[in-house]
Amino acid sequence: MQVYLDNNATTKLDPKVLEAMMPYFTDMYGNPNSLHKFGTLTHPALRKAIDQVYTGIGANDNDDIVFTSCATESNNWVLKSVWADLMQHGDKNHIVTTEVEHPSILSTCKYLEEECGVKVTYLPVNEEGIVEAHTVKSFITDRTALVSIMWANNETGMIFPMKEISDVCKDKGVLLHTDGVQAVGKIPVNVSQMDIAFMSFSAHKFHGPKGVGALYIKHSRKLTPLLHGGDQMGGRRSGTLNVPGIIGMGEALEIATTDIETKMASIAKLRNRIEDELLKL
Ligand SMILES: Cc1ncc(COP(=O)(O)O)c(C=O)c1O
């Protein structure tokens, strides 16, 4: 199964998203973490955006979604913090990933190998361009701390069997992170139906603004922060919140996930037509 990527590099901002964001650049520019009126004026719209993002990925009330600057930050955060939490002083030293991950995963893995002595297994994809769950299982050892496998590939659109991979990780008692950048807003994604500990995603892949990403954290699991500072986002990710960006992400995800099957079918039709015409040539 493939995701039909409507524009792999980045997507155009939806006009409705821009409309929702605009007042938070102009009139309601307060910092939500300040106690004064300008700050608190932003709270209802932020609450709405957070609810939209929870709904868009099927997260539960006891989960956490932490806004970041991009999926690259979310991916770096998970890998480096799982190292700090489970590998630096613990008995784990191994990550399983694939050869076809985005550079924000591959370069971070290389860094952890070179600087921290972490062992990383880079699984090759099969002839269909995916890694099957039984292959993942066969490489997990009692020293594996994390499996990090993308949900959909950014070059081929191939969808990885995430439910089966999550079942394997649950069986083996290993944390699963997925880079959901190319899946969220493009195919139905419901994190509550799987045992996914962490999922990274990014607004500009589903017609939201650039410069805003997020990390889903199942059951609000403790994870050492990547950015220390003013204790925003409950101390998980410090830095003044990108209010218009978060509002834009919420709005864009709601639009993208409404009637998602119809959208998938219409993009599939266009994509298949291009392929048919190219093959005729
Ligand atoms: C699969 C995948 N992961 C991560 C990223 C990085 O996302 P961001 O640009 O938000 O850092 C991309 C961007 O293209 C991607 O396709």
Side-chain angles (χ1 to χ4, degrees):
M1 258 258 283
Q2 246 176 320
V3 180
Y4 296 115
L5 303 166
D6 44 359
N7 182 337
N8 181 25
T10 187
T11 56
K12 189 175 169 192
L13 196 66
D14 189 300
K16 287 199 205 116
V17 173
L18 183 60
E19 199 185 317
M21 291 168 69
M22 270 318 263
Y24 299 89
F25 284 116
T26 52
D27 301 329
M28 287 179 273
Y29 49 80
N31 177 352
N33 289 99
S34 305
L35 293 176
H36 54 62
K37 186 173 153 223
F38 280 130
T40 52
L41 272 178
T42 62
H43 289 187
L46 274 176
R47 183 69 256 165
K48 179 178 171 204
I50 291 164
D51 288 346
Q52 286 168 317
V53 176
Y54 268 78
T55 306
I57 62 164
N60 279 321
D61 281 352
N62 59 354
D63 297 328
D64 213 345
I65 292 171
V66 179
F67 295 99
T68 60
S69 63
C70 56
T72 296
E73 180 189 328
S74 307
N75 285 343
N76 269 263
W77 180 17
V78 171
L79 296 178
K80 290 175 180 168
S81 296
V82 167
W83 170 75
D85 293 342
L86 298 180
M87 297 189 243
Q88 188 179 14
H89 304 296
D91 57 353
K92 310 274 183 193
N93 77 340
H94 180 225
I95 293 174
V96 177
T97 188
T98 78
E99 286 177 350
V100 297
E101 299 295 313
H102 186 266
S104 53
I105 293 288
L106 295 177
S107 311
T108 309
C109 283
K110 282 273 167 281
Y111 168 82
L112 291 171
E113 282 181 303
E114 285 163 15
E115 300 297 325
C116 310
V118 173
K119 304 261 176 287
V120 183
T121 301
Y122 300 90
L123 300 174
V125 291
N126 64 14
E127 63 284 355
E128 284 173 22
I130 57 157
V131 173
E132 289 184 88
H134 64 82
T135 310
V136 177
K137 187 176 180 177
S138 66
F139 283 90
I140 294 175
T141 71
D142 54 3
R143 302 204 71 196
T144 308
L146 183 75
V147 169
S148 178
I149 296 192
M150 61 190 355
W151 199 315
N153 183 265
N154 45 306
E155 302 291 342
T156 60
M158 292 308 294
I159 300 171
F160 286 66
M162 206 40 66
K163 172 76 178 107
E164 288 79 359
I165 293 172
S166 86
D167 287 347
V168 157
C169 291
K170 187 178 178 191
D171 256 24
K172 293 277 192 181
V174 172
L175 293 174
L176 172 64
H177 165 247
T178 184
D179 177 342
V181 168
Q182 297 292 350
V184 171
K186 295 193 168 73
I187 54 170
V189 163
N190 190 319
V191 284
S192 301
Q193 291 172 350
M194 304 185 197
D195 218 57
I196 291 170
F198 311 105
M199 180 175 74
S200 309
F201 52 109
S202 192
H204 70 100
K205 300 296 180 183
F206 45 82
H207 304 279
K210 287 180 271 300
V212 56
L215 183 68
Y216 156 81
I217 305 175
K218 194 179 190 74
H219 297 157
S220 298
R221 186 190 171 85
K222 195 175 165 298
L223 187 67
T224 290
L226 184 66
L227 301 184
H228 298 88
D231 272 354
Q232 288 90 345
M233 302 245 73
R236 286 180 174 276
R237 198 274 183 186
S238 293
T240 302
L241 294 195
N242 174 358
V243 176
I246 293 167
I247 290 168
M249 178 185 241
E251 198 66 23
L253 192 54
E254 182 173 312
I255 296 169
T257 51
T258 303
D259 218 358
I260 194 164
E261 267 89 6
T262 312
K263 292 187 181 104
M264 284 164 63
S266 92
I267 294 171
K269 232 160 91 185
L270 293 173
R271 181 260 183 214
N272 290 342
R273 193 171 147 208
I274 290 177
E275 187 176 283
D276 290 346
E277 295 302 321
L278 283 172
L279 287 173
K280 271 191 227 158
L281 286 172

